[in-house]
Amino acid sequence: MMEYLEKTFRWFGPDFGITLNDVKQTGATGVVTALYNVPIGEVWSREEIKRLKKKIESSGLKWSVVESVNVHESIKTSSANSKEYIINYIETLHNLSENGIKTVCYNFMPILDWTRTDLFFPLKNGSYSLRYFKSAIAAFDLFLLNRKDAINNYNSNTIDEAKTLFDNLSEEEKGTLKDTIMAGVPGTRDVFSIEEFKSRHAEYISIDDIQLKKNLVNFHKKVIPEAESIGVKMCIHPDDPPFSIFGLPRVINNISNIENILRKVPSYYNGLTFCSGSLAANPKNNLAKIFRLFSERVHFIHLRNIQLEEDKSFFETDHLNGSINLAEIMELIIQEQLRRYSEGSRDVNIPIRSDHGPLMLGDIKLKEKFYPGYSTIGRMKGLAQLTGLELGLRHKICS
């Protein structure tokens, strides 16, 4: 009998409002997590990995995927000390492999991880979600960050809208906008200061998309052979959003760029995290076509839905309602499972998680405890919806 998709749940640790027992009650069997206490670029020790794995397993769960072993900015910019950080990265992969953890999700986004402008955007049903509003990004860029040449990245309508929006913000609202955009890395509550962001941004002045691709390929040429030798599947996460913000380059954002990066180091272990919500934020991206083309190299799946708005704005929605046809995507995933099963692949039960989820019901009162987008009930609802979708389509396809 073919295995179902492996249901997983991202866990940032008990400091973010969710226990492992909570995770177990969601229906997930796997945990997606990382050593968030270790500074980016430092080696994850065998002992710390083993300790966290034992804690997860003692709760009756499995540590299925690492998300993320973050890539140090020195590697992305290919600065003088990048070799040292690549060596550290490889050592971490070896330590994970020795503990039986074989799937690693990571991204190559400059400075910031996923970026939003509103963490509590009200939906019609009374729940809250995450929103990316281009005019708010422009307002921050032009009037808070005061980035040189920022005016060249926006059309006149967006600039006018940004000025109107900014002029109507209170000082407190300006601070909230800054903190929302400058949130650093998932798993921490750190927020970049304007000065720190400017300093990091300056390191990318001479780095465009072409150069960032070269730096990523250089990283892959050193890391992927090591990962292959120890059986660790590397799966790069698409840029979120999949277009330039603040003049920074983006290189995992469309079908041609993904193909280029996977082709340059053509190993099964150089794979992709298929994230529906990230890719769909650019309406030019054909999600079904992207999945079909790279399905053999998809090692991890994030499914969420978004509602596209005008001019590259969007907000996150219920998993089964939005601009993305997740039923079509789920059907393609099951077909890929059937292919793997028929060919005797060991990677049939691909790990999947409900990516983000609305803040709803009792979790609304606890909103300050959760990492944004990662409350319990909304993600549990999403996981249930995806599980039902999978079972219904599997019955249709396999009967």
Side-chain angles (χ1 to χ4, degrees), residues 123-242:
L123 300 179
K124 291 180 180 179
N125 65 2
S127 63
Y128 299 86
S129 74
L130 308 179
R131 188 190 190 202
Y132 178 95
F133 186 38
K134 185 175 180 180
S135 294
I137 287 286
F140 171 82
D141 198 7
L142 292 163
F143 310 119
L144 283 175
L145 188 61
N146 293 307
R147 180 174 62 89
K148 183 182 177 182
D149 298 327
I151 197 168
N152 297 325
N153 295 132
Y154 307 100
N155 60 39
S156 58
N157 287 339
T158 300
I159 293 172
D160 290 342
E161 290 171 4
K163 182 68 166 63
T164 300
L165 185 153
F166 185 78
D167 287 345
N168 285 281
L169 291 178
S170 66
E171 291 304 311
E172 181 179 359
E173 288 170 332
K174 291 174 184 176
T176 298
L177 178 63
K178 178 191 78 68
D179 290 346
T180 298
I181 295 174
M182 291 289 99
V185 178
T188 77
R189 300 189 190 278
D190 297 340
V191 175
F192 292 137
S193 67
I194 294 291
E195 291 72 25
E196 184 178 7
F197 182 80
K198 284 183 175 180
S199 175
R200 295 193 179 204
H201 193 284
E203 297 173 2
Y204 285 88
I205 292 298
S206 61
I207 298 177
D208 57 10
D209 288 359
I210 294 173
Q211 186 59 52
L212 190 62
K213 287 178 191 175
K214 289 180 180 178
N215 296 347
L216 175 54
V217 171
N218 179 61
F219 172 70
H220 280 168
K221 285 181 176 179
K222 292 179 172 61
V223 169
I224 298 301
E226 290 284 342
E228 183 169 348
S229 72
I230 56 178
V232 171
K233 292 170 288 186
M234 300 290 291
C235 38
I236 194 164
H237 189 286
D239 301 325
D240 186 7

Side-chain angles (χ1 to χ4, degrees), residues 22-91:
D22 293 336
V23 174
K24 192 173 179 180
Q25 293 180 49
T26 65
T29 58
V31 171
V32 176
T33 193
L35 295 184
Y36 297 108
N37 60 307
V38 180
I40 296 173
E42 292 190 11
V43 175
W44 295 12
S45 72
R46 293 182 185 88
E47 294 72 27
E48 283 196 80
I49 294 168
K50 183 177 181 180
R51 191 178 302 117
L52 180 54
K53 183 185 178 187
K54 183 178 180 181
K55 182 176 182 179
I56 292 168
E57 290 179 344
S58 67
S59 298
L61 297 162
K62 173 189 174 184
W63 188 352
S64 301
V65 180
V66 174
E67 185 178 354
S68 300
V69 181
N70 290 307
V71 179
H72 196 275
E73 291 298 315
S74 295
I75 297 174
K76 298 174 191 176
T77 58
S78 194
S79 58
N81 55 352
S82 61
K83 292 181 180 179
E84 172 192 342
Y85 287 114
I86 290 175
I87 290 170
N88 288 354
Y89 202 100
I90 290 170
E91 186 175 347

